[in-house]
Every structure is written in structure tokens, then in C-alpha cells.
Amino acid sequence: MTSTALSTVILAAGKGTRMKSRLPKVLHEIAGRPMLGHVLANTRFEGSARTVLVVGPDMDQVADYAHSQRDDLAVVVQKSQLGTGDAARTALPELRDGEGVVLVVFGDTPLVRAGTLADMVETCRMSGSIVILGFEAADPTGYGRILLDNGKVRRIVEHKDANEEERRTRLCFGGPMAVPAAHFGKLLEGLSNENAQGEYYLTDVVSLGRDAGIDCVCVTCPEADIQGVNSRADLAAAEASLQQRMRREAMAEGVTFLDPDTVYLSFDTKFGRDVTVGQNVVFGPGCDIEDAVTIKAFSHLEGAKIAEGAEIGPFARIRPGSEIGRKARIGNFVETKKAKVEEGAKINHLSYIGDARVGPRANIGAGTITCNYDGYSKFFTDIGAGAFVGSNSSLVAPVKIGDGAYLGSGSVVTKDVSADALAVARGRQIEKAGWAAAFRAKNESIKKTSSGD
């Protein structure tokens, strides 16, 4: 085969009834991304001619999500649930006849690696064989078995159709299949539903191909890479597998996890080198962590950029839009949102900084709040370089604190403060000598009178 064209068919028409959810199965998330999103990302190959997503009736939510991720994608509807072979046939009108390779994958197997699929496509392209993905199952119950004849794939038999001897086979079919495009349509048209489930099995393409003189090659992968998701328990297992994979990859690139099993990453978490992450840290989508950052225990980050040498936590919440500068310090029980904290600035404890800029080397005292929302709109607070904000201060936006300014503790600041100025905005303290003693005496007298003493 010489054509480099590639068409990908993603089968996502299953109802996912075992999930017990209003959300379509393939839109349930793993590592902060829908399962279908993982599949779409792992099938984005250079030179791809066409990607076709097969959905069931009334699955507009799935189609809309797919279109939001890929603009080169066509969606077709499998009107009746007649099996995986019928689903693949639904995609035929959208494919280019006879060009290159057709790769078929499933929308509910999100952990198959892009490199594995690329190897399957290349093997099909070079050999002209059908290529299937197999794995050695610890418990093969329920899986289709791959039957070999002198080392070559003879056929795939579904579990319900297998006899006792065939069920003892532990080499199982994982789902993905690469087929020469020149044969794909003809093989699908030859499928029969004479089986235990009365469905058209995609797996029968292998035996039909063999009868037509087309060899089948089995490429294998670890079982953890091919696990499908049909229930909430499966979803949790897939999440655990992907988290372990991402943790290992991060550590291999120079990240230290003090307790790896308690750290949760998102599909797009980026780390520099010499990053140290404490226990029970969660990274939501959109986090970019540069070199030599320390993130202490029980912190939660999402949509944030953390620059080199910064220190976060413990118990910090870094919300979307936060940019934490070089060697900045975000301490315990600090929350930031859409805040730019510049180089060397410190927000050490018990503060909320939202819709704000904190200038270089500024110091924000404990209990400081930027009051950014008036019930209708958000407003911006600008804190200049080297400014000192005393503890328990409230900055009512929009407001600007000049470079080097000093705010007295307990202030409620509603007006701009000039550079290098002192601002104190709190009630004047007064003292009345003996007032407390007189107050107590008065109340004790009333208490005795009312009790009859």
C-alpha cells in the first residue's frame, strides 16, 4: 500500500445504561476531560483524511462536544442498535473509498495511546493486512477472544459465542482495528447477524478478510491501556489507571511527588523540572507549573500559571486566571482568582485576592480581601510594587494602591492611595476610664433586685 490517507471512525452510539446517568457515557470525565475528548486527541494524526463519529439517536450533546474539539469531523447517526458492525457501516458514506487505511476506535476506551494507534495504522499501511489490538487479560470473561492458527489471527469470537476451549484463551480483542480502505466497505457488507446476540459484529471482519485472502495481524498493549468504561466502577478504575500513568510520566521528567498516590493531575497539567508537590494536591485543567516550584499539601490549582521558584500552600486555592510570578509566595488558606501576583510578592495567609494585580515585592497581610464584586459587576484592584497591606484590610474595588504605599491594619480602603503614602481607614479609637467597671456594677445590681436578694 502506498497511500498515506487515513480515515478514522469513532464508535460512540452506545447508550451507557449501566452508568445510570443523564449524561451520555462518553462525556463522563477522566482526568478533567470527557472520555470522547481523550479519544479525539489520540486520533489526531497528520494526513488524516476524515474523522467520522457514529452516535445514537438524540445524542446531540455528544455531537456538539465533538464539533467543539475537532473541525474536521463528520457526525452520523446509527438509528438502530444493531451492533458494532452496523455502526461502522453507518460511517461508510462519509469515507473516501479505497484510499489508505480506515482506523476504527471506540469512544469509551479513552486510555489507548496515540502511539499504539499510529503503529497499527503504519503496520496496516505497509503490509496491507487487517491489524487488530489485543491484550492478555487477567480475567477474560466478557471479552472477545483472538484465535490464532500457527501464529496468525484466524478469527475473533465473542464471549457469548465461544465454546469452553475458546473461552480459556486469554488473548482478547481490545476494540481498535485498522483495515485497508480498499476492502473496508466490502467486508462490512458481508457481515451477518447469525450469532448469540443477533447483531452485526465488527470482529467478523477478521474471518471474512481471511476468507478473502487478507491476513490479520495482532498488535498487543498492556491491559491497563485498553480498559473500557461501562459503569461508574469502570470509570473510577480508568481514572486510577490514567492518574498512575501521568504521575509516572511526570516523575520521569523531573517532578517530585512526596506521596504520588494522593496527587491528582489533569490531562493537560504541565510541569517544569525540580518541581516538588506535597500530599493531597489536586490540579484541575489548565495548569502550567514552571521549574523549581514548590506546591505544599492540600492545595488545589486550576487554570493557573505558576512561575519559576514560586511557593504555593499548604491549603491554598489557586483559581482560574491566576498568574503567580517568580519566587512569589502564596501561603496557607489563601485564595486567588484572576489575579496576577508578580515577582517576589507575598500573600502568606488567610486572604482572598481576586480580579487584581499584586506588584513585585508587595506584602499582603493576613485576612486581606479584595472586594471585587458589587452584586452585579466585577472590579479591579491594583496593588503597586513594594506596597504593604496591613492585616484584616478590605480593598473595595475599583481601587489602586500606589508603589510603596502602606495600609494600616484593619482598614477599609475605598479610594486610591498615593505611592509611598500611609493610609488608615478605620474608626477612631476612644477610651472612657472606668466605664467597664460601672457597667458591670449596674448590671449586677439589676440582677440582684430581680432575683429578690
Side-chain angles (χ1 to χ4, degrees), residues 66-249:
H67 280 133
S68 75
Q69 300 299 302
R70 295 272 292 269
D71 56 10
D72 63 339
L73 180 137
V75 177
V76 296
V77 178
Q78 183 189 17
K79 295 180 179 179
S80 301
Q81 302 289 305
L82 300 178
T84 54
D86 179 68
R89 282 196 303 214
T90 306
L92 286 175
E94 295 291 338
L95 303 180
R96 296 182 181 179
D97 292 337
E99 293 188 15
V101 174
V102 177
L103 174 68
V104 183
V105 297
F106 288 78
D108 61 355
T109 52
L111 305 189
V112 182
R113 299 173 189 261
T116 301
L117 298 176
D119 289 343
M120 292 178 62
V121 170
E122 186 61 20
T123 300
C124 178
R125 181 175 289 139
M126 297 302 294
S127 68
S129 303
I130 298 169
V131 181
I132 61 174
L133 185 60
F135 65 100
E136 290 284 340
D139 178 6
T141 304
Y143 292 111
R145 306 307 203 279
I146 299 174
L147 305 181
L148 304 178
D149 185 1
N150 294 321
K152 293 184 178 181
V153 178
R154 176 163 50 92
R155 67 188 181 104
I156 301 171
V157 59
E158 296 295 336
H159 179 86
K160 291 184 178 181
D161 298 293
N163 59 38
E164 289 302 316
E165 180 181 355
E166 291 168 339
R167 289 184 180 184
R168 286 194 288 270
T169 300
R170 293 177 59 188
L171 180 61
C172 297
F173 178 55
M177 175 184 296
V179 182
H183 306 299
F184 188 62
K186 294 178 181 178
L187 292 173
L188 291 179
E189 293 302 326
L191 296 177
S192 167
N193 64 349
E194 295 180 3
N195 50 60
Q197 298 189 76
E199 295 182 350
Y200 296 94
Y201 295 155
L202 179 64
T203 49
D204 287 346
V205 163
V206 172
S207 56
L208 290 174
R210 181 182 175 89
D211 292 342
I214 306 168
D215 288 336
C216 180
V217 176
C218 179
V219 172
T220 59
C221 71
E223 184 174 5
D225 287 6
I226 201 62
Q227 58 187 296
V229 175
N230 293 301
S231 66
R232 304 278 184 161
D234 291 343
L235 187 71
E239 178 77 44
S241 292
L242 185 54
Q243 289 294 336
Q244 289 284 17
R245 179 196 297 182
M246 293 188 298
R247 292 169 191 144
R248 288 194 298 267
E249 290 172 351

Side-chain angles (χ1 to χ4, degrees), residues 334 346-353 358 362-369 383 387-395 407 409-410:
V334 171
K346 297 178 181 179
I347 312 171
N348 278 322
H349 31 224
L350 301 162
S351 294
Y352 170 71
I353 305 296
V358 179
N363 189 93
I364 308 300
T368 295
I369 298 172
I383 301 170
F388 182 92
V389 178
S391 298
N392 198 34
S393 294
S394 297
L395 310 182
L407 302 188
S409 297

Side-chain angles (χ1 to χ4, degrees), residues 329-385:
R329 171 77 173 90
I330 306 295
N332 50 290
F333 301 103
V334 171
E335 179 180 354
T336 66
K337 189 274 296 184
K338 202 175 180 181
K340 186 174 184 179
V341 181
E342 297 185 348
E343 183 171 357
K346 297 178 181 179
I347 312 171
N348 278 322
H349 31 224
L350 301 162
S351 294
Y352 170 71
I353 305 296
D355 295 283
R357 178 187 78 95
V358 179
R361 303 174 309 285
N363 189 93
I364 308 300
T368 295
I369 298 172
T370 58
C371 306
N372 56 330
Y373 184 52
D374 67 357
Y376 295 93
S377 302
K378 297 289 181 70
F379 298 95
F380 188 75
T381 298
D382 189 275
I383 301 170

Side-chain angles (χ1 to χ4, degrees), residues 29-33 239 243 246 262-271 277 280-289 295 298-306 316-322:
E29 291 189 352
I30 295 175
R33 173 195 258 172
E239 178 77 44
Q243 289 294 336
M246 293 188 298
T262 68
V263 176
Y264 284 82
L265 309 179
S266 189
F267 72 97
D268 60 351
T269 306
K270 297 179 182 178
F271 290 111
V277 180
N280 296 287
V281 174
V282 176
F283 295 91
C287 289
D288 187 351
I289 315 300
I295 301 174
F298 292 97
S299 295
H300 188 289
L301 298 84
E302 182 177 0
K305 182 177 178 63
I306 314 298
R317 187 181 181 199
I318 311 300
R319 291 171 58 193
S322 295

Side-chain angles (χ1 to χ4, degrees), residues 407-419:
L407 302 188
S409 297
S411 292
V412 178
V413 179
T414 59
K415 297 179 181 180
D416 291 352
V417 177
S418 301

